[in-house]
Amino acid sequence: MSDARKYFNLPSPFAMKRGGTLHGARVAYETWGSLNATRGNAMLILTGLSPSAHAASNTEDPSHGWWEGMLGPGKAIDTTRWFVICMNSLGSDKGSTCPASIDPATGEPYRLNFPDLSLEDVANAAHALVKSLGIDQLGCLLGCSMGGMSALGYMVLHPDSVRTHISVDTAPQAQPFAIAIRSLQREAIRLDPNWNGGHYDHERYPDIGMSIARKLGVITYRSAMEWNGRFARIRLDAEQREEQPFGFEFQVESYLEGHARRFVHSFDPNSYLYLSRASDWFDMAEYGNGNMMEGLKRIRVEQALVIGVSTDILFPLEQQEQIAEGLQAAGANVEFVALNSPQGHDAFLVDIENYSRAIGGFLSRL
Amino acid sequence: MSDARKYFNLPSPFAMKRGGTLHGARVAYETWGSLNATRGNAMLILTGLSPSAHAASNTEDPSHGWWEGMLGPGKAIDTTRWFVICMNSLGSDKGSTCPASIDPATGEPYRLNFPDLSLEDVANAAHALVKSLGIDQLGCLLGCSMGGMSALGYMVLHPDSVRTHISVDTAPQAQPFAIAIRSLQREAIRLDPNWNGGHYDHERYPDIGMSIARKLGVITYRSAMEWNGRFARIRLDAEQREEQPFGFEFQVESYLEGHARRFVHSFDPNSYLYLSRASDWFDMAEYGNGNMMEGLKRIRVEQALVIGVSTDILFPLEQQEQIAEGLQAAGANVEFVALNSPQGHDAFLVDIENYSRAIGGFLSRL
């Protein structure tokens, strides 16, 4: 399989926010388009918890990316105009240094010896990557979901490093409902005997915990409204049903199982735990003496687009309103777009038409 | 401990909706107040998935019941006026015959040899109980949550058996979001090796599966809005935190853990699985040639009160609107009350003030 990933070696040692350092760490990234002469057309995309840097197909890797409909020549994020960088988060296992990576101090995988990970560490790694490319100021910083929190961290920690910002389905801090969901996902993994304190391998792997965690994720990433239309109460055919007590009987159960099967072995469980907890920890109030709005007001950008969706139960619309309000109070020219897409939190990955209109429109007016 | 439970022996054999029969089965119930001379003041309460028949304190058992604030002399459900019966659902382990009961055919617990359980079986057991008390027509049938579905089953299966109806936080059929949640709860139990195909005992018990199931339940029974006010991002004190990797750190996590600990050994896991699946199966469309509204229109009551709450994600308000619309179309005089209580699905157990006003008001106008 072709691979478009490039790698950036982080400064070594790389100091982590909550203590500890990484030695010889790196982040994986991909790019689309070309940096122009003024270096003013750079856009960085920070991703949600699980995606890789492969946001869209490119010459080196023609396979579809996770935001294929949004990104490319002539698309909402027009790569004939923008030099787009998408980074795999530090701590994620899609090429960046993570708990599954070899700890140079021991020659063994870090596992739980990986230092505490914060989204500010993701942001700092991204900032170092951008600087290494000769870019002093991003033309646009775009963050989706968890990546939207990382982006807020980026801007508050690195003043004047971003000209315009696009904030997609995200939050200025984790609320207790989201913490409860993520805590339960982590617990399902931690309580799986095969997790074994982080010492699993391919033979003895926490499949059950990862499967429950993923299903709970998918339930909260989508929405009841979408599923009423999509699955209703449709039963599985007799041959599709599980031949065991209390086995699957409805299409929605089989849909979740399909999602879980694709995920369980494609994401390192320890990396999942680290990134999940980093999301719970993130709180813009830390930058405002305990006041989240004051934290947001420290961010300086010229223009911002903040998008949310009314069916999102994990990052509810009021949290995007807070971001919009905070950036506005900080002096930015803010557009706030509240969509009614039925797909819930994942709408940004599915309702490409409406997200394209909002993002493409904003970028075209810059 | 004093015990107010009475027991009614079901007709034997008792035929179950999906096939199979129970022999020598019984249901537990409690009563408050006195049946009047015309036998017109009887009210039956059908419960949610986990409560017992002990809805409120009474002479035999002065301990607080699960709806203590609602039920008693001078309360919204005034037991000086009403003769109130609350039944523990067939299949539940709070005194009624359930998968943990001894199968007289083998002398061993039924476990998974218990026949398929439907909410219509719960309804039929309740109807037999009511008849055994010499009551031909209930003055009021009240059902909460799962009990509201059982109540719909009761009314459609037993025409003219109910004069007025109160429907609380329930649905005319399970929607895919609720099915997904309950399926994942069941899966957490099924995949716990200690569940062991239903053959657990106190030493080898599916604590982990039950704990995850309960936490997921509590998350969906409450609401994000309530938790923002109640827990926000408050941390546990250092001595309250779990001393283990990825252990609990936020108050909301400790709250869920408390709920889970109280539940895990107080509810039989197999009974939980049976009742959970019965909730998924329930569908008023079965009584309307595949059309849920047509099914509701077969119910004949004089007056009905339908209550729901806008923060309920498990039984969303639109489902109570459907019930109200269906009963109205069937000719009943229907009051529909949509509350904005922040507590989500569990509001009927917590927001006693507003539920009292609605239920007490309806009953006082009869």
Side-chain angles (χ1 to χ4, degrees), chain B residues 243-284:
Chain B
E243 282 304 315
Q244 50 182 279
F246 302 98
F248 305 139
E249 180 177 339
F250 291 93
Q251 275 196 357
V252 67
E253 297 178 279
S254 165
Y255 163 83
L256 290 177
E257 180 67 11
H259 266 282
R261 286 201 182 159
R262 287 192 295 279
F263 185 78
V264 164
H265 283 274
S266 75
F267 206 95
D268 173 57
N270 289 336
S271 300
Y272 185 89
L273 293 171
Y274 272 85
L275 285 163
S276 165
R277 185 177 55 180
S279 299
D280 285 1
W281 280 339
F282 187 75
D283 185 1
M284 281 301 293

Side-chain angles (χ1 to χ4, degrees), chain A residues 173-326:
Chain A
Q173 65 183 183
Q175 286 185 341
F177 182 83
I179 292 173
I181 294 283
R182 284 191 291 255
S183 173
L184 189 53
Q185 291 175 307
R186 294 194 296 274
E187 202 173 356
I189 297 168
R190 292 197 286 137
L191 293 179
D192 186 324
N194 282 350
W195 179 61
N196 191 28
H199 282 267
Y200 46 82
D201 56 31
H202 196 76
E203 307 301 309
R204 195 162 178 277
Y205 189 91
D207 302 80
I208 290 177
M210 285 291 282
S211 175
I212 290 174
R214 181 58 173 175
K215 289 185 181 188
L216 182 51
V218 173
I219 287 173
T220 54
Y221 297 156
R222 312 299 289 211
S223 90
M225 191 203 297
E226 181 202 11
W227 287 1
N228 286 341
R230 184 166 172 183
F231 301 115
R233 291 181 51 79
I234 301 170
R235 298 312 213 267
L236 295 168
D237 298 334
E239 68 271 18
Q240 296 173 306
R241 296 194 186 181
E242 278 190 314
E243 281 304 314
Q244 49 182 279
F246 302 97
F248 305 139
E249 179 175 339
F250 291 93
Q251 275 196 357
V252 67
E253 297 178 278
S254 166
Y255 164 82
L256 290 177
E257 180 68 11
H259 267 280
R261 288 203 181 156
R262 288 191 295 278
F263 185 77
V264 164
H265 283 273
S266 74
F267 206 92
D268 173 56
N270 289 335
S271 300
Y272 185 89
L273 292 171
Y274 272 84
L275 286 163
S276 165
R277 187 176 53 179
S279 300
D280 285 0
W281 279 338
F282 187 75
D283 186 2
M284 281 301 293
E286 288 181 26
Y287 303 99
N289 288 316
N291 182 308
M292 183 257 290
M293 269 297 158
E294 293 303 316
L296 286 169
K297 281 159 70 176
R298 289 186 47 201
I299 291 174
R300 293 281 174 275
V301 292
E302 293 174 15
Q303 294 185 64
L305 168 66
V306 182
I307 315 179
V309 57
S310 58
T311 53
D312 190 339
I313 59 173
L314 203 58
F315 293 80
L317 200 53
E318 71 188 65
Q319 296 201 285
Q320 290 95 57
E321 287 168 352
Q322 291 167 341
I323 294 172
E325 191 185 327

Side-chain angles (χ1 to χ4, degrees), chain A residues 40-289:
Chain A
N41 70 331
M43 176 188 299
L44 172 67
I45 297 176
L46 295 175
T47 79
L49 195 150
S50 54
S52 72
H54 192 58
S57 53
N58 42 28
T59 319
E60 300 85 351
D61 180 356
S63 68
H64 272 212
W66 57 265
W67 226 8
E68 188 72 25
M70 187 65 70
L71 181 67
K75 295 186 180 170
I77 301 174
D78 187 347
T79 51
T80 63
R81 177 180 172 201
W82 291 94
F83 172 62
V84 179
I85 309 154
C86 182
M87 185 187 87
N88 181 232
S89 299
L90 182 66
S92 167
D93 67 347
K94 304 288 179 285
S96 296
T97 298
C98 71
S101 303
I102 299 298
D103 178 356
T106 64
E108 298 287 326
Y110 283 104
R111 302 185 186 273
L112 303 197
N113 292 323
F114 199 79
D116 278 359
L117 178 74
S118 301
L119 295 185
E120 287 88 342
D121 302 318
V122 176
N124 286 336
H127 185 252
L129 162 64
V130 168
K131 294 284 280 185
S132 79
L133 297 173
I135 300 159
D136 286 328
Q137 189 183 50
L138 287 167
C140 186
L141 172 59
L142 187 155
C144 318
S145 187
M146 185 192 86
M149 300 197 282
S150 306
L152 293 174
Y154 189 109
M155 295 184 290
V156 78
L157 292 172
H158 303 285
D160 303 321
S161 64
V162 175
R163 196 168 76 243
T164 70
H165 175 49
I166 301 177
S167 174
V168 180
D169 295 12
T170 191
Q173 65 183 183
Q175 286 185 341
F177 182 83
I179 292 173
I181 294 283
R182 284 191 291 255
S183 173
L184 189 53
Q185 291 175 307
R186 294 194 296 274
E187 202 173 356
I189 297 168
R190 292 197 286 137
L191 293 179
D192 186 324
N194 282 350
W195 179 61
N196 191 28
H199 282 267
Y200 46 82
D201 56 31
H202 196 76
E203 307 301 309
R204 195 162 178 277
Y205 189 91
D207 302 80
I208 290 177
M210 285 291 282
S211 175
I212 290 174
R214 181 58 173 175
K215 289 185 181 188
L216 182 51
V218 173
I219 287 173
T220 54
Y221 297 156
R222 312 299 289 211
S223 90
M225 191 203 297
E226 181 202 11
W227 287 1
N228 286 341
R230 184 166 172 183
F231 301 115
R233 291 181 51 79
I234 301 170
R235 298 312 213 267
L236 295 168
D237 298 334
E239 68 271 18
Q240 296 173 306
R241 296 194 186 181
E242 278 190 314
E243 281 304 314
Q244 49 182 279
F246 302 97
F248 305 139
E249 179 175 339
F250 291 93
Q251 275 196 357
V252 67
E253 297 178 278
S254 166
Y255 164 82
L256 290 177
E257 180 68 11
H259 267 280
R261 288 203 181 156
R262 288 191 295 278
F263 185 77
V264 164
H265 283 273
S266 74
F267 206 92
D268 173 56
N270 289 335
S271 300
Y272 185 89
L273 292 171
Y274 272 84
L275 286 163
S276 165
R277 187 176 53 179
S279 300
D280 285 0
W281 279 338
F282 187 75
D283 186 2
M284 281 301 293
E286 288 181 26
Y287 303 99
N289 288 316

Side-chain angles (χ1 to χ4, degrees), chain B residues 41-332:
Chain B
N41 72 328
M43 176 188 297
L44 172 68
I45 297 177
L46 295 174
T47 79
L49 194 149
S50 54
S52 71
H54 193 57
S57 54
N58 41 28
T59 319
E60 301 84 351
D61 181 355
S63 68
H64 272 211
W66 58 265
W67 225 10
E68 187 72 26
M70 187 64 73
L71 182 67
K75 294 184 180 170
I77 300 174
D78 188 345
T79 51
T80 63
R81 178 181 170 201
W82 290 95
F83 171 62
V84 180
I85 310 154
C86 182
M87 186 188 86
N88 181 233
S89 299
L90 182 66
S92 167
D93 68 348
K94 303 290 180 284
S96 296
T97 298
C98 71
S101 304
I102 298 299
D103 178 355
T106 64
E108 298 288 325
Y110 283 104
R111 301 184 187 274
L112 303 197
N113 291 324
F114 199 79
D116 279 359
L117 178 73
S118 301
L119 296 184
E120 285 88 341
D121 302 318
V122 176
N124 286 336
H127 184 254
L129 163 63
V130 169
K131 294 283 280 187
S132 79
L133 297 172
I135 300 160
D136 285 329
Q137 188 183 51
L138 286 166
C140 185
L141 172 59
L142 186 156
C144 317
S145 187
M146 184 192 87
M149 299 197 283
S150 306
L152 293 174
Y154 189 111
M155 295 184 291
V156 78
L157 292 172
H158 303 285
D160 303 320
S161 65
V162 175
R163 196 169 76 243
T164 72
H165 174 50
I166 300 177
S167 173
V168 180
D169 294 12
T170 193
Q173 65 184 183
Q175 285 184 342
F177 182 83
I179 292 173
I181 294 283
R182 284 192 290 256
S183 173
L184 189 53
Q185 291 175 306
R186 293 193 296 273
E187 202 172 358
I189 297 169
R190 291 197 287 137
L191 294 179
D192 186 325
N194 282 349
W195 179 61
N196 189 30
H199 283 266
Y200 46 83
D201 56 33
H202 197 75
E203 307 300 308
R204 195 161 181 278
Y205 189 91
D207 301 79
I208 291 176
M210 284 292 282
S211 176
I212 290 174
R214 180 58 172 176
K215 289 185 180 186
L216 182 51
V218 173
I219 288 172
T220 53
Y221 296 157
R222 310 300 289 211
S223 90
M225 191 203 296
E226 180 202 13
W227 288 1
N228 287 341
R230 184 167 175 182
F231 301 116
R233 291 180 52 79
I234 300 170
R235 295 321 213 259
L236 294 170
D237 298 334
E239 68 272 18
Q240 296 174 305
R241 295 194 186 180
E242 275 191 316
E243 282 304 315
Q244 50 182 279
F246 302 98
F248 305 139
E249 180 177 339
F250 291 93
Q251 275 196 357
V252 67
E253 297 178 279
S254 165
Y255 163 83
L256 290 177
E257 180 67 11
H259 266 282
R261 286 201 182 159
R262 287 192 295 279
F263 185 78
V264 164
H265 283 274
S266 75
F267 206 95
D268 173 57
N270 289 336
S271 300
Y272 185 89
L273 293 171
Y274 272 85
L275 285 163
S276 165
R277 185 177 55 180
S279 299
D280 285 1
W281 280 339
F282 187 75
D283 185 1
M284 281 301 293
E286 288 181 25
Y287 302 98
N289 288 319
N291 181 307
M292 182 257 291
M293 271 297 159
E294 293 302 314
L296 286 169
K297 281 159 69 176
R298 287 187 47 201
I299 291 175
R300 292 280 175 275
V301 290
E302 293 175 13
Q303 294 186 62
L305 167 67
V306 182
I307 314 179
V309 56
S310 58
T311 53
D312 190 339
I313 59 174
L314 203 58
F315 292 80
L317 200 53
E318 72 188 62
Q319 296 200 285
Q320 290 96 58
E321 288 167 351
Q322 291 167 342
I323 294 172
E325 191 184 325
L327 296 181
Q328 184 97 51

